[in-house]
Amino acid sequence: MLSTAVIMKTGLIIVGVMIMIMSFVFHAKRKLTVNLAVVWEFLGFALILIGAVPVFSSWCHLLARGTVIAMFVVGALALWGSYILCILISNLSMKNQELAMQVSLLNQENELMLKEIEKLKEDRENDR
């Protein structure tokens, strides 16, 4: 039978790998900005280190099996909610960037139209 410490360490490593994979996939699908993807990658790497390095995971021997299950359930819910929040923030950031580009293009078009109107006014005044 596996001890709770081994289950906890293995679970931390698996969760860390899953976080790193999900961050990469969400960034590839342009659902997550680079900055947030890097933060999630660091979090996944930290979880892998905590699970793999004995110095960082010595506290795992102190937990009971029920505590480990509760920690994974609460941690999974917290991580999922944080991922959803980061995706929403990334989506808003990307839409804001697109909107800024559209405003810039409209400003350029507006300047060109104003120059054209001024040119037409000058031509009309010269014709008189």
Side-chain angles (χ1 to χ4, degrees), residues 44-112:
F45 185 69
L47 287 174
I48 292 170
L49 279 179
I50 289 171
V53 178
V55 174
F56 298 139
S57 61
S58 61
W59 55 272
C60 292
H61 297 285
L62 304 173
L63 300 174
R65 190 173 300 266
T67 307
V68 170
I69 293 170
M71 283 180 64
F72 275 117
V73 169
V74 170
L77 291 174
L79 283 175
W80 185 254
S82 299
Y83 247 116
I84 297 298
L85 183 64
C86 285
I87 289 172
L88 289 173
I89 290 171
S90 294
N91 194 7
L92 286 174
S93 176
M94 286 185 235
K95 284 184 179 181
N96 190 22
Q97 190 175 15
E98 288 177 15
L99 186 61
M101 286 190 281
Q102 287 179 355
V103 167
S104 176
L105 290 172
L106 285 172
N107 281 338
Q108 281 182 330
E109 188 177 333
N110 188 22
E111 288 177 12
L112 289 174

Side-chain angles (χ1 to χ4, degrees), residues 1-78:
M1 181 104 167
L2 292 174
S3 69
T4 56
V6 172
I7 293 171
M8 184 71 175
K9 291 175 187 181
T10 307
L12 286 172
I13 292 170
I14 290 170
V15 169
V17 169
M18 285 176 47
I19 286 175
M20 292 180 81
I21 290 171
M22 286 176 53
S23 298
F24 182 77
V25 168
F26 283 150
H27 176 63
K29 290 183 178 180
R30 299 191 45 86
K31 290 188 175 191
L32 199 61
T33 59
V34 175
N35 297 338
L36 290 174
V38 168
V39 170
W40 281 103
E41 293 290 332
F42 279 134
L43 178 66
F45 185 69
L47 287 174
I48 292 170
L49 279 179
I50 289 171
V53 178
V55 174
F56 298 139
S57 61
S58 61
W59 55 272
C60 292
H61 297 285
L62 304 173
L63 300 174
R65 190 173 300 266
T67 307
V68 170
I69 293 170
M71 283 180 64
F72 275 117
V73 169
V74 170
L77 291 174

